[in-house]
Amino acid sequence: MFSELFPLPYAYKALKPAGQLDGQFRLLTLLPGEIGSDLYGQLQHASLDAPCMYEALSYTWGDPYPERSRFHNNKADCFGAILLDGVHVKIGSNLEAALQSLRERNEPRILWVDAICINQRDTAERNEQVKVMGRIFEGAKRVLAWLGPQGEDSDLAFESLEQLVWSWKGLLARHIAVKHQLPIPVVLHDPQIFSNVLDKTKRYWFLEEVKSYFCEEKTLSKAWSMVSVNIHCSASTSLLECAIATWGPGSLAAALISDDIEKLSIQNIKAIEDAIYKFFARRYWQRLWIVQELCFAVDVSIHCGDRHINMAKLSLIYQFLKFFDPDSSCNHLIKHLEGFLLAVHASIAGISSFLVILGAKKLLPFYVSRQVYHVMKCSEPRDAIYALLNISEPVDIEIDYDNPVDEVYLKATRMIIESQQILKIITVMPLPDSPKTELKLPSWVPHFQLGFSDYGSWRFESGGPSLPSDLVYQREDCQSLQVRGYFYSGIVELIITKFKLGPGGAGSDISKALKILTKVHGKSASPDFKLQFWTILLMDHYPSLAGPTSCRISRSPAMQTLLLADIEEMLRTQPPERICNAVSASMFLKTLCKTLEGHWILALGDIEVGDRIFVARGAPCPLILRPAASETTLDNSDTAGGDLKAEFQHLAKFERFTLVGIAYVKGIMDGEWLERAPLEGILEEDILLV
């Protein structure tokens, strides 16, 4: 790919290695020019240790629109050019559009652009520069996030987002003015009043940078001054008049400030929803590298064509919508727009992870980083590891693009296990829509590029909090991983396999689920039986309840009571299909199984009858294993129940197993089996995952 993007022999001058004292990086001086004219630039070396003024460009190399595929189908349309120190250099079309838009008309602009400032043909230099990209973005006075050219109603999206920020500040100003009997203009022109209120309220939590931006932002106060509203008018009337004068009588701002639903038609609401959805559906937001680029940034400006908005404003909108409550004293006037606001929140939620930690620079364990950003993508498979190293707790992983991908993933997994002393990384499962891959990896090594999720396993400690200190990891066979623990049971029946919604005909997953629900909630069923069933089905987590995400059904009698009451209410008032829809988020693509002892468990993975359940020390949830030798799989089609136990005992003697899934098993998710197994005469074993 790089040889296609950089076919001309631009003569890069060697940099001082980034890891040495006074290490260097390059900066692009983008020369001024009119829109549409040829791009001209110059490269210069700069010291990583000496501060200098520049802006860093964050963008996607390919086409910015996810539904188009020009990059692959028509390569002639995907390139532009820049005259760099007198040499024509081919660049991607999206980068060319960004430079055309960002170029000043009358003065040069100093930028850092990875595709130009790093010699992409020199792997050694690439390795060095990637290591310090966090420092480069942190040192920039501003990061310019380029979403792509104008289009797809981007102008409407920008204007609507600006009005959301404007309106929220206006609503809060009015709330403060009424409560403290102050004129609204006084509140608007005194940032300290906002700061004091936000410090005292528990409903709104802000990073200090975002709070400062909100309090100091002058758009509303300037608009108020321009409208010259009499400060003796009523607070409600004055704010509405200001909204109408600034944005127009049919604007989103006027509708948010007013209780007159006619001010914004359903068609307008739908158009705004669609525009904001398309704004956040752009390919830029799916790019894994933007995580560190935006998190390290001191200031982020988001650009789309010639429009831009500060990232802090998006953080404000997200905070507002996250805590939106139509019944609160501050927000009661926008209750009629609740559906719209929830739709906007859903659009922004995809980027909420780095909106929340914007500027926090908090280092997370690597496996947490990859799960937080599991929806983010990268075209270079090694970048699934390398792109997160700078924002994760230190892991001894060397950046080297010459290393084979499977070797990078294998070493990264081992390093993560050894540095964290926990097996969490092996319990993550591929996302449901992950494509098939030709990459040959051991069963315990995740395919990092495809992304993955832990599906809630982080809440548990079935294998205890850490690995045994005397367990030997390094073996001559580097493809295997040695783990220690106790076998628990075996799977003898698949009740529902990889649950999915669809037509509710006979034999469908919904039909099977309804039969189970009828049995569980029959007249003879006890509350304890119902509670056990729903705890398993929901993996001990009731997502509809507010509160800390670590709160579990099994640990809260109040939650148990509320859960059963909610379920009974649903059964009385909702069609059965709606009930299945309600639990589909927890059940989706999971398999409801029965163990040898007749217990129900919930499993995730490619589960088969005969698979074994193993509680490994240091693993957050039980592992589902299959003997590595294919001839040892269990077929219970003609096996009597009494022989199954003997067959499972036979399978437990094998040393090498394939990891095929993970399980939720009620009653052993907090380390109970580690205590019970020895009492039942079960020996602890070391086995190999291959």
Side-chain angles (χ1 to χ4, degrees):
M1 181 177 72
F2 296 121
S3 60
E4 294 174 350
L5 285 174
F6 305 96
L8 295 180
Y10 178 83
Y12 282 94
K13 295 179 181 179
L15 295 169
K16 291 183 180 180
Q20 295 182 8
L21 185 64
D22 205 28
Q24 293 180 321
F25 69 116
R26 296 186 187 91
L27 290 173
L28 167 68
T29 300
L30 184 61
L31 300 179
E34 297 297 324
I35 293 179
S37 64
D38 290 342
L39 294 168
Y40 294 86
Q42 301 168 346
L43 282 182
Q44 63 192 59
H45 290 194
S47 172
L48 285 162
D49 299 317
C52 52
M53 298 296 288
Y54 65 93
E55 298 168 295
L57 182 62
S58 173
Y59 68 105
T60 180
W61 281 36
D63 193 307
Y65 301 104
E67 75 284 358
R68 301 193 319 204
S69 55
R70 291 187 303 137
F71 190 79
H72 301 286
N73 297 335
N74 189 359
K75 294 185 178 181
D77 291 340
C78 295
F79 298 105
I82 182 172
L83 193 67
L84 196 60
D85 294 319
V87 178
H88 279 284
V89 176
K90 189 176 286 188
I91 57 176
S93 60
N94 187 44
L95 175 54
E96 181 188 44
L99 296 179
Q100 285 279 1
S101 178
L102 297 171
R103 176 174 54 178
E104 301 287 359
R105 303 298 168 255
N106 301 310
E107 58 185 29
R109 192 165 192 172
I110 310 299
L111 300 171
W112 183 85
V113 183
D114 61 349
I116 296 175
C117 296
I118 299 176
N119 183 358
Q120 302 292 340
R121 290 179 174 273
D122 186 339
T123 302
E125 180 182 303
R126 249 177 98 201
N127 295 341
E128 285 288 326
Q129 291 292 297
V130 168
K131 292 176 186 177
V132 296
M133 279 179 62
R135 292 176 61 187
I136 292 173
F137 277 90
E138 189 175 21
K141 69 175 182 180
R142 184 180 300 107
V143 170
L144 308 174
W146 173 255
L147 272 59
Q150 285 174 267
E152 299 193 317
D153 300 319
S154 58
D155 286 346
L156 177 59
F158 270 96
E159 188 169 291
S160 301
L161 293 169
E162 290 282 3
Q163 290 186 51
L164 277 168
V165 176
W166 191 97
S167 304
W168 183 30
K169 186 161 186 176
L171 286 167
L172 190 55
R174 184 169 65 191
H175 178 69
I176 295 171
V178 172
K179 184 175 182 179
H180 297 278
Q181 297 183 339
L182 293 170
I184 291 181
V186 172
V187 177
L188 290 175
H189 286 86
D190 189 347
Q192 192 59 43
I193 294 179
F194 274 101
S195 182
N196 292 340
V197 171
L198 294 176
D199 285 340
K200 292 178 181 178
T201 180
K202 294 181 179 179
R203 287 196 61 79
Y204 301 105
W205 174 84
F206 296 89
L207 290 170
E208 195 60 38
E209 299 95 319
V210 177
K211 188 184 77 171
S212 298
Y213 184 90
F214 178 57
C215 296
E216 297 288 345
E217 210 270 333
K218 301 293 186 185
T219 305
L220 182 54
S221 56
K222 287 180 180 178
W224 197 286
S225 299
M226 291 176 64
V227 175
S228 299
V229 175
N230 188 328
I231 64 172
H232 298 296
C233 295
S234 70
S236 177
T237 303
S238 300
L239 191 58
L240 180 56
E241 285 181 1
C242 187
I244 292 173
T246 306
W247 302 101
S251 65
L252 173 61
L256 289 169
I257 298 300
S258 172
D259 59 353
D260 186 357
I261 194 170
E262 300 299 328
K263 291 191 180 298
L264 197 65
S265 67
I266 298 299
Q267 290 79 6
N268 286 342
I269 292 177
K270 187 67 171 67
I272 294 172
E273 285 181 10
D274 290 344
I276 293 177
Y277 172 80
K278 286 184 284 190
F279 179 87
F280 289 106
R282 291 198 174 216
R283 178 164 287 161
Y284 174 83
W285 301 114
Q286 303 169 15
R287 178 174 168 264
L288 185 60
W289 275 107
I290 72 172
V291 177
Q292 74 159 345
E293 294 170 1
L294 301 186
C295 288
F296 276 104
V298 175
D299 181 31
V300 181
S301 180
I302 300 170
H303 293 253
C304 186
D306 60 1
R307 301 292 295 265
H308 62 90
I309 187 173
N310 194 284
M311 176 66 96
K313 288 188 176 181
L314 296 188
S315 297
L316 291 170
I317 295 169
Y318 179 73
Q319 288 289 345
F320 168 51
L321 297 176
K322 182 178 181 180
F323 294 106
F324 168 67
D325 178 4
D327 297 321
S328 73
S329 59
C330 185
N331 298 330
H332 73 282
L333 292 180
I334 52 178
K335 186 172 183 178
H336 62 277
L337 291 174
E338 179 179 4
F340 161 73
L341 294 174
L342 292 176
V344 174
H345 180 262
S347 296
I348 301 179
I351 67 166
S352 62
S353 298
F354 52 81
L355 286 178
V356 171
I357 66 171
L358 181 65
K361 302 180 181 61
K362 179 181 179 181
L363 297 180
L364 302 172
F366 184 90
Y367 61 82
V368 176
S369 296
R370 191 62 186 105
Q371 288 172 61
V372 168
Y373 306 110
H374 67 269
V375 297
M376 316 297 276
K377 298 178 176 63
C378 53
S379 57
E380 160 58 63
R382 298 166 189 83
D383 284 342
I385 301 292
Y386 299 159
L388 295 174
L389 291 180
N390 284 325
I391 63 167
S392 303
E393 292 176 352
V395 180
D396 185 20
I397 298 175
E398 187 69 21
I399 295 176
D400 188 346
Y401 284 95
D402 283 333
N403 284 342
V405 175
D406 55 353
E407 183 180 319
V408 172
Y409 288 179
L410 180 63
K411 184 177 180 181
T413 305
R414 281 198 178 277
M415 291 297 99
I416 293 166
I417 292 172
E418 293 185 16
S419 64
Q420 302 296 332
Q421 289 294 293
I422 192 170
L423 292 178
K424 183 176 176 59
I425 192 66
I426 75 170
T427 65
V428 297
M429 294 285 112
L431 298 174
D433 57 351
S434 295
K436 297 295 183 181
T437 174
E438 296 180 359
L439 197 62
K440 302 299 182 182
L441 294 169
S443 64
W444 52 276
V445 176
H447 193 310
F448 290 89
Q449 186 184 23
L450 297 182
F452 47 71
S453 176
D454 65 352
Y455 295 89
S457 67
W458 57 269
R459 293 190 294 271
F460 309 115
E461 285 188 355
S462 67
S466 63
L467 291 167
S469 58
D470 61 336
L471 190 62
V472 178
Y473 307 102
Q474 299 295 343
R475 302 177 57 89
E476 293 182 5
D477 175 14
C478 64
Q479 296 288 315
S480 63
L481 178 73
Q482 183 173 339
V483 296
R484 178 176 299 167
Y486 297 91
F487 282 99
Y488 171 73
S489 185
I491 295 173
V492 297
E493 182 183 353
L494 308 182
I495 301 170
I496 298 180
T497 304
K498 292 188 175 181
F499 178 88
K500 51 189 175 295
L501 292 175
S508 68
D509 287 347
I510 286 183
S511 175
K512 295 176 184 176
L514 292 178
K515 290 181 180 179
I516 294 172
L517 288 176
T518 301
K519 176 181 178 181
V520 170
H521 288 273
K523 292 182 179 179
S524 60
S526 67
D528 285 345
F529 178 69
K530 297 176 185 177
L531 182 61
Q532 286 187 28
F533 170 77
W534 285 104
T535 302
I536 294 169
L537 207 64
L538 297 173
M539 291 183 66
D540 205 5
H541 177 60
Y542 192 23
S544 67
L545 292 176
T549 54
S550 59
C551 190
R552 288 162 50 184
I553 298 170
S554 60
R555 295 182 178 178
S556 172
M559 185 180 287
Q560 296 169 13
T561 301
L562 184 57
L563 168 63
L564 289 179
D566 285 351
I567 296 298
E568 295 294 348
E569 179 67 19
M570 288 178 63
L571 290 170
R572 285 195 301 269
T573 61
Q574 301 291 336
E577 290 78 7
R578 289 283 300 276
I579 299 170
C580 289
N581 288 339
V583 300
S584 64
S586 294
M587 273 288 293
F588 185 60
L589 291 182
K590 297 184 180 70
T591 298
L592 189 62
C593 315
K594 185 178 289 186
T595 68
L596 180 65
E597 295 77 17
H599 300 147
W600 283 358
I601 69 168
L602 199 62
L604 185 73
D606 294 320
I607 314 302
E608 296 178 0
V609 169
D611 290 340
R612 296 300 316 267
I613 303 168
F614 185 78
V615 177
R617 289 194 179 273
C621 56
L623 311 179
I624 299 182
L625 308 179
R626 189 174 301 154
S630 59
E631 66 271 12
T632 62
T633 54
L634 175 65
D635 181 6
N636 73 328
S637 58
D638 58 353
T639 306
D643 295 329
L644 281 174
K645 187 171 184 179
E647 182 68 17
F648 278 123
Q649 290 174 344
H650 169 68
L651 293 182
K653 297 178 181 178
F654 286 85
E655 184 188 35
R656 299 164 65 85
F657 290 85
T658 300
L659 175 61
V660 297
I662 58 175
Y664 173 81
V665 183
K666 191 176 185 305
I668 68 168
M669 300 305 291
D670 293 302
E672 296 92 338
W673 190 241
L674 299 180
E675 299 178 0
R676 284 166 43 197
L679 299 179
E680 296 182 17
I682 299 174
L683 299 178
E684 189 171 35
E685 302 181 47
D686 285 358
I687 63 171
L688 293 180
L689 301 182
V690 296

